[in-house]
Amino acid sequence: MEFVPDTRNDIDSWKEVQLVYNSALKEIGTKLEILNDEFQHVHQYNPIEHIKYRLKSPESIVKKLKKHGHESTIQNMVQHVNDIAGVRVICSFTSDIYRIAEMIINQSDIKVHSVKDYILNPKPSGYKSYHLIVTVPIFLSDRIIDAKVEIQIRTVAMDFWASLEHKIYYKFEGNAPEHIKQGLVECASMVSDLDARMLALNEEVRCLIADRDSEVDVMEDID
Ligand code: 0O2
């Protein structure tokens, strides 16, 4: 069932919106934690460094509605603002991002609304991240509601860049001096290099450990 809040009483409706989106954050959070635990169990490795959750503030929701030319109604919030519930998943390596995205997309109760791969296609600012808008079913006492969640998946290095760029963007209200913008583009390229080198190093270490372990196995067989 699509989420249609009762617009007769705005305060009650807003509380219901918060309840539903908070529940959606919990559902997605639990799914991610289970996947991380399973990955640890099977591969002795955690792809997720940490997870951040947030509900968008009413002010930011109204700002976004205005930007897209919509009136500030609860109905419009639910229909047009895809990131009222936001989850940010921070990983060590770029390969983890795609692994986690695939594991989430493949869950049978999740519906994928949209995918934006800003890693393959970075924004002109240099922004890199993998964005999924999904819906997850929320089981209330008398109905099931599909709630939208934006999942942003990125590496630690991409997150470091995005946090600083976000602060700078707000400090200059989107009009940062040209040399600062250029500096950020250069840093974004360094972030990509760092991610690629860290991934290559990690792969090499994994191969060396696998070789060493198979040698130990052979020795144990001989003994
Ligand atoms: P906040 O304050 O983080 O919530 P949309 O308007 O969301 O429907 P859009 O902008 O095409 O459409 O969506 P997109 O590109 O997927 O971006 C959604 C979110 O990604 C943003 O939310 C930011 O959190 C993040 N993001 C996108 N581009 C950039 C960027 O250039 N730099 C940084 N630091 N973050 C970015 P909000 O609502 O804009 O902001």
Side-chain angles (χ1 to χ4, degrees), residues 129-146:
S129 188
Y130 191 92
H131 292 190
L132 280 171
I133 310 273
V134 301
T135 61
V136 61
I138 305 300
F139 291 79
L140 298 179
S141 57
D142 57 347
R143 68 215 139 105
I144 304 167
I145 284 171
D146 279 336

Side-chain angles (χ1 to χ4, degrees), residues 123-182:
K123 288 203 167 185
S125 61
Y127 179 72
K128 288 177 89 180
S129 188
Y130 191 92
H131 292 190
L132 280 171
I133 310 273
V134 301
T135 61
V136 61
I138 305 300
F139 291 79
L140 298 179
S141 57
D142 57 347
R143 68 215 139 105
I144 304 167
I145 284 171
D146 279 336
K148 264 186 251 172
V149 180
E150 183 190 64
I151 308 175
Q152 299 183 347
I153 318 175
R154 52 174 80 147
T155 62
V156 179
M158 289 173 197
D159 191 51
F160 178 38
W161 183 95
S163 305
L164 180 64
E165 195 265 357
H166 195 256
K167 276 182 211 146
I168 292 174
Y169 186 90
Y170 275 96
K171 278 222 166 76
F172 291 99
E173 290 170 347
N175 288 313
E178 212 42 54
H179 72 281
I180 302 268
K181 286 192 200 162
Q182 190 49 38

